[in-house]
Amino acid sequence: MSDTSAFQPRRPEPDFAQQEQEHPGWTGPMDPPPDHGEDSYRGSNRLQDKKTVLTGGDSGIGRAVALAFAREGADVLFTYLPEEGQEAAETARLVEEAGRAAVAVPCDIRDEEQCRRLIERAVEEWGRIDVLVNNAAYQMSQPDGIAAISTEQFDRVV
């Protein structure tokens, strides 16, 4: 029989140290810093003059989408949780630096009334919504597996 241990699948491992943060996570202390496309993404006017609404646009994938939309020519109204105001200000700066309008709206989309006010605000700002991206999400790492997820965490994620 041949030795099959050499053929065991391996998961890719990051080439930087593991990092832990309290929730919500912040972009600032990440090392290396995440790439939202600040130096790499070049737009080509595919969304020229579109009016967009993006939930969860303050950081992570949301920030990358906001920046990409702005570089494609769109104005961006995005949501963030109130405790993430510093992150939201940085996203707004990046959108405006790309030459587009940024409107940062504190909003918890789990609340239906806040969602209604969000859409009213977008229509108030621009008269229309051309693109809506529902990106807002909640994620908590569970190193002990799925059995360690509380009912509250499950309900919030879903």
Side-chain angles (χ1 to χ4, degrees), residues 15-91:
D15 60 353
F16 50 86
Q18 184 172 347
Q19 301 164 56
E20 293 188 26
Q21 292 189 34
E22 294 296 316
H23 192 270
W26 303 101
T27 301
M30 292 181 168
D31 182 28
D35 177 7
H36 302 103
E38 295 92 336
D39 298 321
S40 59
Y41 188 82
R42 303 288 176 255
S44 56
N45 296 319
R46 291 184 177 129
L47 296 173
Q48 191 62 43
D49 298 323
K50 298 294 184 192
K51 308 302 181 187
T52 65
V53 174
L54 166 65
T55 65
D58 58 292
S59 61
I61 292 169
R63 179 178 290 168
V65 170
L67 178 56
F69 277 22
R71 290 189 178 168
E72 290 294 344
D75 294 323
V76 183
L77 182 144
F78 68 93
T79 69
Y80 66 95
L81 293 174
E83 62 269 25
E84 298 170 343
Q86 187 175 4
E87 295 278 327
E90 177 61 11
T91 298

Side-chain angles (χ1 to χ4, degrees), residues 53-142:
V53 174
L54 166 65
T55 65
D58 58 292
S59 61
I61 292 169
R63 179 178 290 168
V65 170
L67 178 56
F69 277 22
R71 290 189 178 168
E72 290 294 344
D75 294 323
V76 183
L77 182 144
F78 68 93
T79 69
Y80 66 95
L81 293 174
E83 62 269 25
E84 298 170 343
Q86 187 175 4
E87 295 278 327
E90 177 61 11
T91 298
R93 185 191 69 75
L94 290 168
V95 168
E96 290 168 350
E97 189 177 88
R100 301 309 302 185
V103 179
V105 179
C107 177
D108 186 339
I109 66 165
R110 294 175 294 168
D111 181 293
E112 187 174 347
E113 184 55 35
Q114 288 189 43
C115 290
R116 281 192 171 91
R117 287 194 305 264
L118 169 68
I119 297 306
E120 289 169 1
R121 173 81 183 271
V123 172
E124 198 176 275
E125 288 283 334
W126 295 320
R128 69 181 200 270
I129 299 169
D130 298 308
V131 179
L132 171 63
V133 177
N134 190 16
N135 169 71
Y138 176 80
Q139 174 186 338
M140 292 295 290
S141 179
Q142 291 295 341

